[in-house]
Amino acid sequence: MPGPLNGITVVELAGLGPGPWAGTVLADLGAEVVRVERLRPSPLEWVPHQRDPLNRGRRSVAIDVKSEEGREAVLRMVERADVLLEGFRPGVTERLGLGPDVCHGRNPGLVYARVTGWGQEGPLADTAGHDIDYIAVAGALGSIGRPGEAPVAPVNYLGDYAGGGMLVVVGILAALVERSASGMGQVVDAAMVDGVALIQLLTYSLLGAGLWRDERGVNMLDGAAPFYDTYECSDGEYVAVGALEPQFFAELVAGLGIDVDPAAQLDTSGWDGLRATIAAAFRSRSRDEWAEVFAGTDACVAPVLSLGEAPRHPHLAERGTYVEVDGVVQPAPAPRFSRSVPPDPVTPPMRGVDTVDVLGELGYDEAAIAALREGGVIV
């Protein structure tokens, strides 16, 4: 059975970061995504096209959108699409002749989704940036790390994907729902700084209630609490401990075999001593031995796995959280649905492989396609 977005058509203008991730999620959910590729790959496209899971699930066309003929081809796609997804700096698509006004002139019901770092307006809107810059300004980066040490960059998970890609997917889905009532499209402005701010709702709630200190590594959820932290084991590997609730802390103490009064859990004056006791216990066995000790308990202890190990974890393996496609291990589509189950991922297409077919569907005959090829408009 097709996925829940079966029947939705998305035109994705190829970019980097959150845009491709969002396009992948929409394709995983069953949308027909047609990516408009550059004629030549970007210098930042480090992974070969057919080996990159961020290219899966799409049709691929390669068109010079800077040419008049290429722009017209994209606008014909827009006429039939439900969504246009772009991740350029503000004003770029307008200069290309593919801005919201032009596209809505061709298709008033189009959801025009824009994902950027700074958003479409504001003093920084036109400046360059990357994930680390957006999470820095939004307050998230400053709260990650140990006290007295430099902030720790959490790969590019928070800005590009949680704050950007996920936000624009939510915006697209919400706009499609609204369109079902109004019949009208609209522009979705998804900024990574906004998304990162949004995922800090709990932190700001605690800060406003006086339960969070605006410092790094001194709060219960940022590593200051000895029962919510990581610990090194005898083999140099680590376990993660998240025993927040008293009953879970009691199971942690019991599993470690240490003599600790459960009432001492929230006595911050004794946290240094408690941390030393827990750390010494964990250093007595290997990570995997501790994983066996705490398996099936509510102590909230988990092994810290590498990227290579995670797909082999028994729980993730049984759920099929990761899949392997032509030798490339990658996350499986999520979430899961009881009826409209999306198809399994397949190898991404070659760059531009669908150009001729898509143009044919748009009404271009063989002579017109040959002229575009000879003119360097398509590959």
Side-chain angles (χ1 to χ4, degrees):
M1 180 176 292
L5 291 185
N6 180 50
I8 296 296
T9 300
V10 179
V11 174
E12 174 194 349
L13 302 184
L16 299 171
W21 187 91
T24 300
V25 171
L26 295 171
D28 284 349
L29 295 177
E32 179 186 345
V33 180
V34 179
R35 177 187 279 176
V36 180
E37 310 271 10
R38 298 177 175 90
L39 295 186
R40 285 168 291 280
S42 163
L44 292 181
E45 292 182 29
W46 299 316
V47 181
H49 199 274
Q50 288 183 275
R51 304 286 294 174
D52 188 350
L54 282 171
N55 296 326
R56 75 188 186 196
R58 293 150 162 103
R59 304 175 79 188
S60 174
V61 301
I63 298 177
D64 178 11
V65 298
K66 294 181 179 180
S67 68
E68 183 177 347
E69 298 87 350
R71 179 170 58 252
E72 176 58 28
V74 174
L75 288 173
R76 289 198 194 183
M77 295 182 207
V78 165
E79 290 174 356
R80 303 182 177 198
D82 299 286
V83 178
L84 182 139
L85 173 62
E86 64 99 350
F88 303 122
R89 291 199 212 185
V92 169
T93 57
E94 283 86 350
R95 290 192 292 274
L96 290 172
L98 296 171
D101 290 344
V102 174
C103 289
H104 282 143
R106 293 289 189 100
N107 180 356
L110 182 74
V111 173
Y112 195 106
R114 325 188 80 166
V115 56
T116 59
W118 305 115
Q120 296 298 311
E121 58 207 9
L124 296 176
D126 294 327
T127 61
H130 279 293
D131 177 289
I132 195 169
D133 305 302
Y134 311 133
I135 69 173
V137 171
L141 182 58
S143 65
I144 302 173
R146 298 295 183 182
E149 298 180 9
V152 176
V155 196
N156 62 332
Y157 299 141
L158 289 183
D160 278 349
Y161 304 126
M166 189 68 77
L167 187 71
V168 77
V169 168
V170 171
I172 288 168
L173 299 180
L176 288 172
V177 171
E178 193 279 338
R179 189 187 68 171
S180 67
S182 70
M184 299 297 295
Q186 58 184 307
V187 176
V188 176
D189 173 7
M192 287 182 239
V193 287
D194 297 345
V196 173
L198 187 61
I199 61 179
Q200 296 178 95
L201 274 171
L202 173 62
T203 311
Y204 273 91
S205 174
L206 295 172
L207 182 67
L211 301 175
W212 188 276
R213 289 165 56 189
D214 198 5
E215 302 173 47
R216 187 162 49 256
V218 298
N219 298 284
M220 187 174 293
L221 297 179
D222 63 6
F227 46 86
Y228 199 88
D229 204 353
T230 58
Y231 289 92
E232 186 176 7
C233 303
S234 64
D235 57 352
E237 300 292 342
Y238 288 81
V239 293
V241 176
L244 287 174
E245 292 83 350
Q247 66 272 27
F248 300 160
F249 179 73
E251 292 209 30
L252 170 67
V253 169
L256 289 173
I258 55 179
D259 184 17
V260 173
D261 181 358
Q265 178 185 13
L266 300 182
D267 179 8
T268 57
S269 66
W271 275 5
D272 288 345
L274 178 59
R275 184 184 303 279
T277 300
I278 294 175
F282 274 120
R283 282 195 296 269
S284 68
R285 301 189 190 186
S286 71
R287 180 198 67 182
D288 293 345
E289 287 174 326
W290 283 119
E292 287 188 25
V293 168
F294 288 106
T297 74
D298 284 342
C300 301
V301 175
V304 177
L305 302 181
S306 69
L307 294 174
E309 291 175 311
R312 301 194 298 271
H313 186 277
H315 181 82
L316 304 186
E318 182 174 320
R319 284 184 59 80
T321 300
Y322 291 88
V323 296
E324 184 173 333
V325 180
D326 288 343
V328 179
V329 176
Q330 55 198 271
R336 305 175 187 201
F337 300 86
S338 61
R339 289 187 300 101
S340 50
V341 181
D344 294 332
V346 298
T347 301
M350 293 177 60
R351 176 188 298 276
V353 70
D354 301 300
T355 304
V356 171
D357 288 343
V358 170
L359 290 176
E361 293 166 9
L362 295 173
Y364 288 83
D365 59 23
E366 291 184 8
I369 293 172
L372 291 175
R373 184 183 292 111
E374 291 170 7
V377 176
I378 64 172
V379 174

